[in-house]
Amino acid sequence: MTSLPIAEALQTLPSLRLTVEAHGLMAKKALGQNFLLDGNITAKIINLSLSKQNKASYAGDFVYEVGPGPGGLTRAVLSHDPRKLTVVEMDERCIAIMEDIKSKVGDKLSIINGDALQQNFAELDSAPRHIVSNLPYNISVPLLINWLKDIKSFASLTLMFQKEVAERIMAPINSKDYGRISVLAQLNCRIIKLLDLNPECFVPAPKIWSSILLFTPKEQPLSAAQIKKLEHLTTLAFGQRRKMIRQSLKSIPDIIAKLQSLNIPETYRAEQLTPEQYLALADII
Ligand code: SAM
């Protein structure tokens, strides 16, 4: 490791494009690889995320990055002085790139060669913890659901999704995009869209646009039992979203009386219930 301050040490790294060339990093579709090689964009993502959190840096905080790839976001996070950044990556070629960065920044960077779906970040370090990721698109929703279930462990999630997935997450009631993930995400978090990125921002360019969302936990996180019941309820309701809820929820004992007690019309369809109404119903089933 060099003895330079982090920002200067990062300046001694080759550009992202040269890094990709030197490591022969051809993107693999199976790993959901679309790389961000423009340092201005990765810096903008992290700057926007921090400013929306009223933070000037990550000083004192632990950050986790899923799928660092060639390291654009990795560099941007490191330049904002985290207590430690831990990256989790499945591709050995990207691990080699992370080792190069580690040779410059030492213990500020911790590298895990593995599957992010198997990783429990809350076990690794103390709070405050942040997750940052340009997510592999094929596992973006399962990863988000894992983190939402444990949202009290995190100060923020800054995540890039395919634009249509981001729209589902933020969808309002009475829209075609409103569904299970909207209910779960909106009950647990305040969600802000930071940026839309066009396909040309990535190498290789995907067919569709991407969006970066910032999630910050609401004060009252849901309990594990509430989340379990919500998942059950929303699976039933949205599994038959064209049907009235008196039909789609009929396997729940006394459902008509329970809906009446909450003043929810039994003739509603899944997309007409607010996230708060789903929660109220989950609390009495
Ligand atoms: N962060 C980089 C960027 O913005 O240029 C790469 C983002 S790319 C969309 C997704 C990254 O996730 C790839 O580097 C890929 O190898 C990695 N990845 C895919 N599946 C993974 C998994 N299950 N666990 C950890 N990393 C994974």
Side-chain angles (χ1 to χ4, degrees):
M1 179 194 164
T2 64
S3 54
L4 293 173
I6 298 284
E8 282 177 43
L10 291 170
Q11 294 294 330
T12 66
L13 287 164
S15 72
L16 288 165
R17 281 182 195 278
L18 283 178
T19 302
V20 164
E21 268 174 44
H23 286 265
L25 189 59
M26 295 286 288
K28 289 185 184 168
K29 209 172 172 194
L31 286 172
Q33 292 182 336
N34 295 98
F35 300 129
L36 282 171
L37 302 184
D38 182 339
N40 292 322
I41 295 177
T42 50
K44 187 171 177 182
I45 293 168
I46 299 303
N47 286 335
L48 269 174
S49 175
L50 284 169
S51 80
K52 294 286 180 195
Q53 297 175 64
N54 294 319
K55 288 172 77 71
S57 74
Y58 287 114
D61 297 2
F62 291 96
V63 185
Y64 305 89
E65 184 187 2
V66 167
L73 282 172
T74 317
R75 296 183 189 196
V77 171
L78 284 169
S79 71
H80 284 91
D81 195 28
R83 185 154 164 204
K84 189 173 75 186
L85 167 63
T86 300
V87 294
V88 185
E89 172 62 62
M90 282 185 78
D91 188 332
E92 303 271 354
R93 300 168 306 165
C94 304
I95 294 290
I97 295 174
M98 291 300 112
E99 294 292 354
D100 289 349
I101 300 181
K102 192 172 170 68
S103 72
K104 306 283 184 189
V105 303
D107 291 345
K108 282 275 170 197
L109 180 64
S110 169
I111 305 170
I112 299 175
N113 186 359
D115 180 357
L117 281 168
Q118 307 301 325
Q119 205 63 53
N120 183 349
F121 295 134
E123 280 176 354
L124 297 180
D125 307 288
S126 54
R129 308 179 191 89
H130 305 262
I131 298 179
V132 170
S133 180
N134 171 10
L135 291 166
Y137 63 86
N138 41 349
I139 53 168
S140 63
V141 171
L143 282 169
L144 175 64
I145 288 176
N146 281 353
W147 298 327
L148 289 175
K149 285 181 177 172
D150 187 27
I151 198 67
K152 62 182 181 324
S153 295
F154 300 102
S156 74
L157 315 175
T158 304
L159 304 175
M160 172 120 60
F161 297 91
Q162 293 179 316
K163 191 163 185 261
E164 64 197 23
V165 177
E167 281 166 359
R168 276 168 46 209
I169 292 167
M170 297 193 76
I173 63 163
N174 293 317
S175 67
K176 70 171 174 31
D177 288 333
Y178 184 63
R180 296 186 58 200
I181 189 70
S182 339
V183 173
L184 202 58
Q186 292 172 26
L187 279 173
N188 276 295
C189 296
R190 277 176 293 278
I191 311 168
I192 304 173
K193 186 195 273 191
L194 297 179
L195 209 57
D196 285 329
L197 289 182
N198 73 49
E200 281 68 47
C201 296
F202 301 87
V203 178
K207 291 199 175 65
I208 40 165
W209 282 61
S210 301
S211 303
I212 300 138
L213 304 183
L214 170 66
F215 301 75
T216 49
K218 289 192 169 164
E219 257 103 69
Q220 285 279 319
L222 305 185
S223 68
Q226 282 176 312
I227 291 180
K228 202 168 165 205
K229 285 190 204 169
L230 266 174
E231 286 190 303
H232 177 55
L233 204 52
T234 53
T235 303
L236 289 176
F238 288 102
Q240 294 186 291
R241 62 186 298 148
R242 284 157 180 267
K243 297 225 165 107
M244 293 181 195
I245 49 174
R246 70 174 174 220
Q247 177 67 23
S248 57
L249 301 182
K250 72 176 181 207
S251 60
I252 296 172
D254 301 322
I255 186 63
I256 303 291
K258 285 173 180 160
L259 289 169
Q260 277 169 357
S261 75
L262 297 170
N263 289 323
I264 302 174
E266 60 185 84
T267 53
Y268 268 17
R269 292 178 168 77
E271 71 224 36
Q272 293 177 281
L273 275 73
T274 63
E276 291 72 24
Q277 285 176 318
Y278 275 109
L279 181 58
L281 192 53
D283 281 337
I284 58 170
I285 66 171

